[in-house]
Amino acid sequence: MSYPSNQPPQRPGDAAAGIDVTDDFEGFSQRNDIFTRAFWDPRVRSKKTDAFFASYRMEATPRRGDGFTQRDFALRNASWLVSDLISERDGENGRREGFQAAISDDTPVAPMRQQIDDPKAMSAEVKRIATFFGADLCGICEMDDRWLYTARVDTRDFSEAPNDLPADMTHVIVMGHQMEEDLVATYPSALAGAATGREYSHEAAIVMQLAAYIRNLGYRATASMNDTGLVIPYALKAGLGEYARNQMVITPQFGPRLRFSKVFTNLPLAADAPNPLGVRAFCDICTKCADACPVKALPYGPPEVGGDNASAIRGVRKWTSDAEKCFGFWAKMASDCAICMRVCPFNRDFSKAHHRLWLRLALSPLRRLALWLDRGRGGRRKPADWWARAE
Ligand code: SF4
Ligand code: SF4
């Protein structure tokens, strides 16, 4: 069914955010997310995918050399701990909070409401508080229901359940959480997965604390990680970066090397503007991520609409991965993969002057020179070297 049925699916600001929605757009049901399909869809589920999830509980953990030893899995799984505690606390009701259900309110909305006369100043305050709690980036966009899941998932039987976000949310606060550069350099490895897990645990705490702050001001706030809606379009609209061939948002601070979280709220805020950087033009001349993908799950050529994969959103022109191939590789390794993040020329520390200089070049008409200068970068570092530094 097209969405919504009584009006065109395009919205103002889409073009500036690099969002290209076609008339046959359809909202996305989270049941079709590849990680959810791994539990109910026989085309995805296998002994390997079951072993993948079991490895996060130190069961069926392979020991296959550097990066996949017991201590590599031990660190990765320990990094996920706080996130796991949140996602498991209401499992008996089929709510996997932070992943297949929004994070439940831990505090009530204060009965007295703080008067907000200046939404712009309130936005600045929210960003300051997000940073105070530990977010590395924060942007704000208006609520856009196209990107909400049409249904969430009841994890007792993986059936669809109502997406129960309150209807009066007006804004989405989007936060970015930087992944450790040295760990990302060791992808693919179980050790590298600690970079992912640590940020999920960080973001769980940060979204819960920011949401509690807003509720204490007398407004609604729902803390959200991968649940409730697709975060990438919100991050684009909030001006945090630009969508790239590797399916990630490239930011001018950390390139693609971060995770995103969000808080839905009805706090009066001023939205940020999208921030087109010139990444699209760079990706048009670069295929490093697609070349490096071991299972060729990333597309070559220009962005296209839809795709046959059940996990691809319909009616959006963009670079879309073959999620089944991608997750198949994760399952084979018993850990997440982000080779396509590691090799991306934008995977740099832009707090350093020479990388900022490269960024200026990459986002200018001299982008081919920037790509040439990137040759030889992005190789895998040995996981044992990461441990050696710790020792
Ligand atoms: S995460 Fe790994 S398998 Fe998936 S698209 Fe990126 S490189 Fe390919
Ligand atoms: S590796 Fe190249 S093509 Fe892929 S996302 Fe990065 S810049 Fe774009």
Side-chain angles (χ1 to χ4, degrees):
M1 187 187 78
S2 288
Y3 174 90
S5 51
N6 59 350
Q7 62 181 33
Q10 295 82 11
R11 301 273 168 86
D14 279 0
I19 294 171
D20 187 354
V21 171
T22 59
D23 288 341
D24 52 357
F25 173 80
E26 289 178 30
F28 190 76
S29 171
Q30 198 180 11
R31 194 164 182 268
N32 290 324
D33 176 279
I34 194 73
F35 302 104
T36 306
R37 287 175 64 207
F39 287 93
W40 65 265
D41 187 341
R43 290 172 296 174
V44 179
R45 189 171 185 184
S46 68
K47 280 186 182 156
K48 280 208 170 95
T49 60
D50 287 352
F52 167 84
F53 292 114
S55 80
Y56 283 79
R57 299 185 303 275
M58 298 306 289
E59 295 166 24
T61 305
R63 314 279 195 271
R64 292 188 282 120
D66 191 14
F68 294 91
T69 65
Q70 182 162 358
R71 71 173 177 174
D72 295 310
F73 281 98
L75 182 66
R76 183 198 68 179
N77 294 2
S79 299
W80 277 91
L81 179 66
V82 176
S83 169
D84 289 344
L85 291 172
I86 301 304
S87 62
E88 286 163 13
R89 66 183 181 173
D90 198 21
E92 64 195 28
N93 292 314
R95 300 184 77 261
R96 188 164 172 256
E97 292 185 27
F99 291 89
Q100 275 121 345
I103 296 176
S104 302
D105 290 4
D106 295 285
T107 52
V109 175
M112 272 181 59
R113 190 172 256 199
Q114 163 110 3
Q115 170 92 14
I116 312 282
D117 297 321
D118 184 348
K120 214 169 157 187
M122 194 66 229
S123 287
E125 181 176 312
V126 159
K127 290 179 189 177
R128 179 164 174 242
I129 302 301
T131 308
F132 166 73
F133 284 129
D136 293 301
L137 295 179
C138 183
I140 296 166
C141 67
E142 286 171 3
M143 185 65 197
D144 185 335
D145 57 2
R146 293 173 300 176
W147 314 117
L148 293 180
Y149 294 132
T150 54
R152 68 168 181 88
V153 178
D154 185 324
T155 52
R156 287 170 296 195
D157 59 2
F158 292 91
S159 61
E160 292 191 334
N163 188 341
D164 40 16
L165 186 73
D168 61 348
M169 299 304 198
T170 57
H171 289 84
V172 189
I173 302 162
V174 188
M175 283 161 284
H177 312 276
Q178 182 193 185
M179 295 163 70
E180 204 214 49
E181 193 176 12
D182 291 341
L183 280 175
V184 169
T186 71
Y187 272 111
S189 67
L191 173 68
T196 303
R198 190 186 73 168
E199 294 324 309
Y200 274 112
S201 287
H202 280 169
E203 71 182 64
I206 293 165
V207 291
M208 289 168 73
Q209 288 169 310
L210 181 63
Y213 172 73
I214 294 170
R215 287 193 297 271
N216 286 343
L217 295 180
Y219 296 87
R220 283 191 199 275
T222 298
S224 172
M225 291 163 51
N226 287 9
D227 55 277
T228 308
L230 299 162
V231 77
I232 283 182
Y234 292 126
L236 300 177
K237 284 225 155 167
L240 293 182
E242 194 175 334
Y243 188 70
R245 187 186 299 281
N246 62 1
Q247 321 284 291
M248 296 168 195
V249 175
I250 306 274
T251 65
Q253 294 86 0
F254 309 107
R257 194 171 27 79
L258 68 175
R259 316 214 67 85
F260 291 99
S261 64
K262 53 201 181 297
V263 170
F264 297 95
T265 184
N266 64 354
L267 182 70
L269 293 168
D272 292 301
N275 183 20
L277 302 164
V279 170
R280 162 72 203 267
F282 193 95
C283 287
D284 281 340
I285 60 156
C286 173
T287 55
K288 281 189 85 169
C289 52
D291 295 339
C293 175
V295 289
K296 295 291 166 257
L298 290 173
Y300 289 89
E304 289 181 357
V305 180
D308 295 333
N309 195 296
S311 293
I313 191 166
R314 310 269 159 187
V316 181
R317 191 185 316 276
K318 67 183 192 69
W319 283 300
T320 300
S321 70
D322 184 326
E324 291 175 15
K325 279 189 188 171
C326 174
F327 186 63
F329 183 66
W330 292 31
K332 194 171 144 200
M333 280 204 310
S335 200
D336 63 314
C337 167
I339 296 171
C340 47
M341 175 187 286
R342 187 196 84 209
V343 302
C344 179
F346 290 97
N347 175 19
R348 292 165 184 259
D349 176 359
F350 292 113
S351 68
K352 298 196 169 112
H354 65 286
H355 288 314
R356 284 201 301 278
L357 204 61
W358 180 88
L359 184 66
R360 282 179 63 183
L361 207 61
L363 302 179
S364 79
L366 294 175
R367 61 186 74 90
R368 282 189 189 278
L369 175 60
L371 183 57
W372 183 79
L373 289 171
D374 191 71
R375 72 200 187 287
R377 284 187 76 258
R380 180 179 187 255
R381 280 192 225 140
K382 285 184 190 162
D385 290 348
W386 188 90
W387 287 107
R389 273 200 308 283
E391 282 157 7

